[in-house]
Structures are given as structure tokens and as C-alpha cells.
Amino acid sequence: MQYTLMTSFTSTHRIVMITMVIFLTLSACAPQTRIVEVEVTAPPQVNVVEITATPEPAAVVPEPTPAPETAIGPLSLADSGQSLGNGRSWDVSLGDLDGDGDLDALVANGAQGEDESTVWFNNGHGVFTVGEQGLGYGMGVSLGDLDRDGDLDAFIASWNEPGKVWLNNGGGTFSDTGQSIGDAGGWDAAFGDLDGDGDLDALLAMDRANTVWLNDGDGIFTDTGQRLGDAYTVSAGLDDVDGDGDLDALTVGWNEPGKVWLNDATGTFTDSGQALTPGRIHIHGMTMGDLDGDDDLDAFMAGAPSQIWFNDGGVQGGTPGTFSESEQQLDSQPGDTVALGDLDGDGDLDIYLAVGASFSAEDKVWLNDGGLQGGTPGTFTDSGLLLSDLFSSGIGLGDLDGDGDLDAFVSYGELGRSNNGELPNEVWLNETR
């Protein structure tokens, strides 16, 4: 075997090439391994030593098989210690309201509490400061660019008065458009382009028939005259459940099964005839997302009991937009609202279930067994975390402290408390690594 040693000296820029020929004679009687150590004494000004070798052919050593990728670690959520407001807070929606690149919170406060609905501004690290503007009273709040000027506006549904549209002035302060959207008795509002004209329309969940409102593109809404159902609806969602390219509607509430309403692409809805959940069950909140990883939208309903409904399209091989109840029973107290997000960083949607039982309850996170867990997508396991024990009525998931994972802003309505439920809202930071 021949080695060539090249030594570079920076002080004189001389290159000295030393050729050392080493002949190794191996015994023919038995194989053995020999180690040859070569010591080279170089002047102190040596900067780079480069050795090139022409080895004898050697056996090929296979590359090690990389270890399988795993989740980033056990889920950990910690109370940030903040106590935000004294209102009876029913809902929260997250978005960058002041244009500084982080997520702020708009909290809808009910009329029985001390504070009006208001904005909480984020400093970028998950620490919130209350805004000075009151935005009336409400039960539900949704954010979206309603007038197409590049910032987030607000729609507040109210139990005590008609819904209101608030347009963002650009820095997180809002102007009332003066519109009265529907009657009093509103619980929730969902945004989406229902008629395909490129702006955000609204579906308003009411204590009676739900209403559909079309946007003219400048944040001015017109009632279509449609009345979807006649029951006590507390939550509504918009998504393309049947895969035909337009937004359909799912509504849930009290004393009537959940309903799926199919859009004809013009914003006109037809009852699909499906009955989701038993008729007398109370559902308090609902959200949609791809829970089983088959590229269609499923539904989670928070209530007594909470339920998962899978879209029969995708891996189920059935008709898209038709739903079947999962056999899973999530061992939890009655849910009041729910949010979906990848809380443990493994690539699938987990469940943050806000429990609404008065006086004694504990919010829970249910982890999806799909993703890096390697289990069945859409099957959920209790994370073991026991979070807030107050009356959680609203939950917003987003990266509040800018570290790349999902945190939680939790609002409290505290139904049934003699003090009108005036409890401060909380921020829970994800500390999973």
C-alpha cells in the first residue's frame, strides 16, 4: 500500500512532498490484522495536512439503516400564568389583527359579564395586552378579510342583539359598519365563499332557522332568504364535504340531529337528508378536519357525549359527503367546544376538547394514533394531560409564542356560576420538544 503525504507551510509557501512507501507483508499461514502507526513531526507553522491513499480493495461495509422517525416528544402544555379579562367570554378567534406578524385574539364576551368583546394584542412571545376598544357583546366570533383590503375583519354573532360586522382599520382597531345581520339569538358564524365570486360570505347559526348572507365584496351583506332548519343551532361549519369544489354546510345544536347541507355552487343549499347524532342529544360545538388522513373532511362534535363522524369518501370507499359515526367513545365529561390541530407535531390532527361542565371539569387532549405514532389514523388516545378545570367555552389553537408549535388560548363563559361567570381567560403554551 502506498501513501503520499503532502504538507503545506504557510510561512514560506513551500510544499514539501514526502513519499513514503510502506510494504506490508502478510503471513501466508494465517490471516492477521496489523496496525501501523506513522508519526510525522512537522514544524509549528504547519497549517494543513492532506493524506491521499491508494488502498487495496476492501470489503464493502453496508450503510447503517437509519432509525425510524419518531414524534418530537411527549405532549406538554403549561399554563402561562396570564389572567386575561373579567368578561363572560364565550368564544375566541385568533389572527394577526394589527399586522405585526403574530397571532392576536378577539374574544366575544356575553352581555351578562363586565367587559364587552375586545381584542387582546400579542407581543410575539405569547404575552397579551388588552385593547382599548369595546366591540359590543356576543356569543361567537369569526375573522376574515371581508372587504378585501388585506387585513382581518370581524363578525360577531350575539344572543342579545343582531349580528355585527366590524371592519379593521389596519392596526387592530375596528369600525362598525352599522349592519344588523339577522335577529338576536345568534350563536356562531362561519365564513366562506359560498357563491364562487371570490369574497367571504357568512352562515349564521341561530336559535331558530340558520341564515345565509352573501357579501358584495366590500363587507356589506345581503340575506339570501334561505332558512336552514328550524332547531336550536349552536355551531356551524363550512367545508367542501362532497368534493365537488364548493363549500357545503354542517349544522349542529340541541334537540335535533346534526344536518349536512349541500351547496349547488351558487350559495343555495339543499338538505342532504342525513341525521348526524340522535335527535335529543345536546351538541355544543363542532369542527371539521381530515381526522383519518384520507383527504376528505370529517367532523368532531363536542357534546354529551362527544362524537366523531367520518366522511365516507376517501379510504372508506363510500359516497363523499355522507357521514358514518365512529365507534370510539372518548371517555370525557360533556364537551362544550373543540379545536383540531397537530399538537404533538407528528403530522396529523389531534383534538383539544374544551369541557363545559359547571364547577368541576378538566379539558383534555386526545392524540391521533396516525402520523408518526404508526397506529390507525382517526383513532384517538387520551394524552393524559389534565388542563383547565373551569368552564371552557372557546378554544383557539395557534403558534402564540413563535416557537413553531400550537398553543391554546382558552376563554371561559362559566355557565351556572352566581358571579355571572366573570373568570379570566388563559393562555396555555406548548412545551413539547
Side-chain angles (χ1 to χ4, degrees):
M1 180 178 295
Q2 177 174 295
Y3 286 85
T4 302
L5 176 67
M6 297 187 299
T7 307
S8 175
F9 303 97
T10 57
S11 60
T12 61
H13 302 284
R14 293 180 297 110
I15 298 176
V16 178
M17 301 191 64
I18 305 171
T19 301
M20 298 180 297
V21 179
I22 304 173
F23 295 94
L24 305 178
T25 303
L26 303 179
S27 171
C29 297
Q32 58 182 334
T33 301
R34 299 182 60 190
I35 300 175
V36 178
E37 295 184 359
V38 177
E39 180 177 351
V40 178
T41 303
Q45 61 267 43
V46 171
N47 187 33
V48 177
V49 176
E50 180 177 336
I51 300 177
T52 62
T54 305
E56 298 291 338
V60 177
V61 178
E63 293 290 331
T65 302
E69 189 178 11
T70 59
I72 56 178
L75 181 65
S76 175
L77 291 170
D79 186 353
S80 69
Q82 300 174 74
S83 297
L84 307 179
N86 291 303
R88 191 171 184 174
S89 302
W90 290 108
D91 196 16
V92 59
S93 189
L94 302 179
D96 184 8
L97 299 176
D98 55 1
D100 65 350
D102 54 34
L103 293 178
D104 309 301
L106 200 161
V107 176
N109 291 331
Q112 297 90 346
E114 178 180 320
D115 297 338
E116 292 186 42
S117 304
T118 192
V119 175
W120 290 85
F121 293 106
N122 190 346
N123 71 350
H125 303 289
V127 178
F128 289 83
T129 303
V130 67
E132 298 180 355
Q133 184 180 14
L135 301 175
Y137 297 101
M139 298 294 295
V141 58
S142 295
L143 297 176
D145 185 6
L146 301 179
D147 55 0
R148 299 184 294 184
D149 65 349
D151 53 29
L152 293 177
D153 311 301
F155 189 112
I156 297 180
S158 177
W159 178 257
N160 303 92
E161 59 187 6
K164 289 186 175 294
V165 176
W166 297 83
L167 297 183
N168 195 331
N169 298 320
T173 62
F174 292 81
S175 295
D176 186 352
T177 63
Q179 301 175 75
S180 294
I181 307 299
D183 301 319
W187 279 87
D188 191 19
F191 286 156
D193 184 7
L194 301 179
D195 55 359
D197 65 350
D199 55 31
L200 293 177
D201 310 302
L203 172 64
L204 187 59
M206 303 288 294
D207 64 345
R208 295 173 295 278
N210 307 304
T211 55
V212 178
W213 297 76
L214 297 183
N215 189 348
D216 70 352
D218 295 318
I220 305 301
F221 288 82
T222 301
D223 187 357
T224 64
Q226 298 178 74
R227 299 295 180 263
L228 307 185
D230 56 5
Y232 205 108
T233 302
V234 298
S235 185
L238 296 173
D239 268 308
D240 183 11
V241 300
D242 57 359
D244 65 351
D246 54 31
L247 294 179
D248 310 300
L250 201 159
T251 58
V252 297
W254 299 353
N255 299 327
E256 182 183 68
K259 288 184 174 292
V260 178
W261 304 84
L262 300 180
N263 192 346
D264 68 354
T266 69
T268 301
F269 291 85
T270 302
D271 187 349
S272 69
Q274 300 178 68
L276 279 58
T277 74
R280 304 300 298 180
I281 194 173
H282 277 202
I283 296 295
H284 302 277
M286 181 270 303
T287 190
M288 286 187 277
D290 185 9
L291 298 176
D292 54 1
D294 64 350
D295 296 325
D296 56 22
L297 294 168
D298 312 300
F300 186 96
M301 301 180 187
S306 298
Q307 301 177 350
I308 298 171
W309 288 75
F310 289 124
N311 194 327
D312 289 344
V315 295
Q316 279 81 8
T319 302
T322 301
F323 289 82
S324 298
E325 185 179 359
S326 164
E327 297 180 356
Q328 298 175 76
Q329 296 294 323
L330 303 187
D331 183 17
S332 174
Q333 299 187 56
D336 192 68
T337 191
V338 61
L340 300 178
D342 185 9
L343 289 164
D344 57 357
D346 70 342
D348 53 23
L349 293 178
D350 308 304
I351 297 169
Y352 190 118
L353 182 61
V355 174
S358 297
F359 305 111
S360 178
E362 290 174 329
D363 294 356
K364 288 191 174 184
V365 173
W366 295 81
L367 297 179
N368 197 328
D369 290 344
L372 298 181
Q373 272 93 349
T376 302
T379 301
F380 292 85
T381 301
D382 188 348
S383 69
L385 294 181
L386 299 177
L387 305 174
S388 170
D389 60 357
L390 303 176
F391 188 99
S392 305
S393 55
I395 177 69
L397 293 181
D399 184 8
L400 301 180
D401 54 1
D403 65 351
D405 52 29
L406 294 181
D407 311 299
F409 191 113
V410 184
S411 64
Y412 299 112
E414 198 62 16
L415 183 65
R417 286 291 180 102
S418 59
N419 66 349
N420 287 329
E422 296 173 7
L423 292 174
N425 306 310
E426 296 177 347
V427 174
W428 290 74
L429 298 179
N430 195 331
E431 297 184 344
T432 306
R433 293 294 181 265

